[in-house]
Amino acid sequence: MEKRQEETARLCVREMLLEKLKGFTLLSDVFLSVALRDQAACQHVLRLLTGKEDLTVREVRTQYRISKILSHDAILDVLAEDEKKRLYNLEIQRRDTVDHCRRTRFYGAMIDSEYLEKGKEYHELAEVYIFYISETDIRRAGQTVSPVRKYSEAEDEEYDDGLHVVYVNAEVDDGSETAALMRYFKISDPEDKSQGALSERVHFLKCEKEGIEVMCEITEEIYEIGKNEGREEGREEGREEGILLGKTETAKKTARNMAERGAAAEVIAEIIEESVETVRQWLGKNTELKKSGQISLF
């Protein structure tokens, strides 16, 4: 009986994730990470962002964790390497509370420490490009792409340390190819074929059975990680991506579906990140008939 109840609860969570999948866009770090696991799709994006039409992606890692024993971890949304061993980090940022400049500094340092092996010289550090993609124009530059330039004041020339930071936003449409890419990021319509291999990948993930299964597996895994680790940062990002839901119509629908399958209000509240009182209000008097602990995921 307990096994059946746990399976019912798991299916309810899966339903919630499937419902949210329909609204995922490439401005979601979860969806971007899964979409750009495909080398052809990643290559398409990087060719547009860099302007290098002959760029060839050799390897892609997504949701790549760089861990240090005594320091803060970094989880990179997308980290790609091209045929010349240049590294490209794509980060989606949707929160305004983050110190963006220092975040890019930290990520650059973590990438350097990960890729400069013992015994190597500093000149062997790879060229690193960080593309910091946001929904709004966080730099207030009034253009889609805002590269960061470093200069030596004494020498009055550009200071090149091999780390290139580029801010890209989906708010300003300056008519460029990158702006068109950002328009696509905002909608991610699976029927829009304008972005070549990227469009094909989005259609696969949203419309084809095998792709939907891939998305479900990934989102379930991330959901479980965020739930089990209990990290505040993970919970905030989860809310932003729709994995841990707030007061939305989707959450209400999920609550009703779970209640119909016998889930207690307490369990529903924990899964969708709402108060028990709110869930009971959504469900009405029928909730009073449910007994706490009827289904347990934890």
Side-chain angles (χ1 to χ4, degrees):
M1 183 66 177
E2 183 179 346
K3 185 176 180 181
R4 183 184 301 173
Q5 290 173 341
E6 289 181 357
E7 177 65 16
T8 299
R10 190 190 69 81
L11 289 172
C12 288
V13 172
R14 185 180 177 86
E15 265 187 28
M16 175 183 71
L17 299 176
L18 279 170
E19 186 67 25
K20 201 61 188 176
L21 171 59
K22 299 174 185 177
F24 268 145
T25 74
L26 291 164
L27 289 175
S28 151
D29 58 0
V30 174
F31 192 56
L32 180 76
S33 297
V34 180
L36 296 197
R37 283 187 180 186
D38 179 75
Q39 283 190 223
C42 185
Q43 182 170 280
H44 174 85
V45 172
L46 287 177
R47 284 180 173 181
L48 286 177
L49 292 177
T50 62
K52 298 182 173 81
E53 295 183 0
D54 60 346
L55 184 151
T56 301
V57 170
R58 191 177 74 170
E59 183 180 6
V60 182
R61 299 179 182 183
T62 63
Q63 293 297 311
Y64 179 53
R65 181 186 290 271
I66 301 176
S67 300
K68 303 298 176 185
I69 295 176
L70 298 177
S71 63
H72 193 67
D73 288 359
I75 302 177
L76 309 183
D77 292 341
V78 179
L79 183 64
E81 183 177 349
D82 71 10
E83 78 285 2
K84 296 183 179 179
K85 296 188 176 180
R86 293 173 295 205
L87 300 172
Y88 304 89
N89 172 213
L90 277 67
E91 290 296 321
I92 295 293
Q93 182 52 253
R94 303 184 74 173
R95 288 185 291 159
D96 293 331
T97 56
V98 173
D99 186 328
H100 307 295
C101 298
R102 283 175 171 76
R103 186 186 184 200
T104 56
R105 166 187 162 185
F106 174 72
Y107 276 27
M110 291 292 277
I111 293 169
D112 283 343
S113 66
E114 181 80 352
Y115 277 82
L116 186 65
E117 299 173 359
K118 288 183 178 180
K120 294 287 185 72
E121 300 293 333
Y122 292 120
H123 72 267
E124 297 179 84
L125 277 168
E127 293 285 312
V128 176
Y129 296 81
I130 299 178
F131 290 97
Y132 201 76
I133 302 172
S134 59
E135 195 166 7
T136 60
D137 183 13
I138 58 178
R139 300 297 296 171
R140 297 181 176 85
Q143 55 194 33
T144 305
V145 180
S146 304
V148 174
R149 305 293 186 192
K150 303 175 186 176
Y151 287 91
S152 170
E153 186 175 350
E155 300 168 359
D156 193 27
E157 63 180 26
E158 188 168 355
Y159 181 81
D160 183 11
D161 59 3
L163 175 62
H164 313 277
V165 178
V166 182
Y167 287 85
V168 184
N169 73 84
E171 180 179 3
V172 179
D173 188 345
D174 58 13
S176 63
E177 285 190 333
T178 303
L181 177 65
M182 288 299 101
R183 286 199 303 273
Y184 183 80
F185 266 47
K186 284 197 291 187
I187 306 299
S188 303
D189 179 359
E191 302 306 321
D192 181 345
K193 307 299 183 183
S194 66
Q195 294 298 322
L198 179 62
S199 293
E200 292 176 9
R201 178 66 170 172
V202 169
H203 185 274
F204 170 75
L205 292 173
K206 285 194 170 189
C207 299
E208 299 180 28
K209 181 179 178 181
E210 293 83 357
I212 291 172
E213 285 300 316
V214 169
M215 279 303 305
C216 282
E217 288 175 11
I218 296 299
T219 49
E220 284 177 355
E221 178 183 339
I222 293 172
Y223 175 87
E224 288 298 324
I225 289 172
K227 174 166 66 64
N228 292 333
E229 290 186 358
R231 292 178 289 110
E232 185 59 30
E233 181 181 355
R235 297 174 85 85
E236 288 179 10
E237 290 179 356
R239 289 188 187 95
E240 291 169 358
E241 304 305 340
I243 296 172
L244 301 178
L245 297 176
K247 295 180 180 179
T248 64
E249 289 304 315
T250 303
K252 291 180 182 180
K253 181 176 179 180
T254 301
R256 288 192 292 268
N257 287 342
M258 292 185 70
E260 288 172 2
R261 296 187 181 198
E266 290 81 1
V267 174
I268 298 171
E270 189 160 1
I271 288 176
I272 66 174
E273 286 291 296
E274 266 300 348
S275 69
V276 176
E277 291 74 17
T278 298
V279 170
R280 284 176 175 159
Q281 287 176 5
W282 287 350
L283 300 179
K285 294 182 179 180
N286 290 337
T287 312
E288 300 300 325
L289 301 176
K290 308 287 183 188
K291 299 296 183 182
S292 177
Q294 197 168 352
I295 292 179
S296 175
L297 286 176
F298 315 108

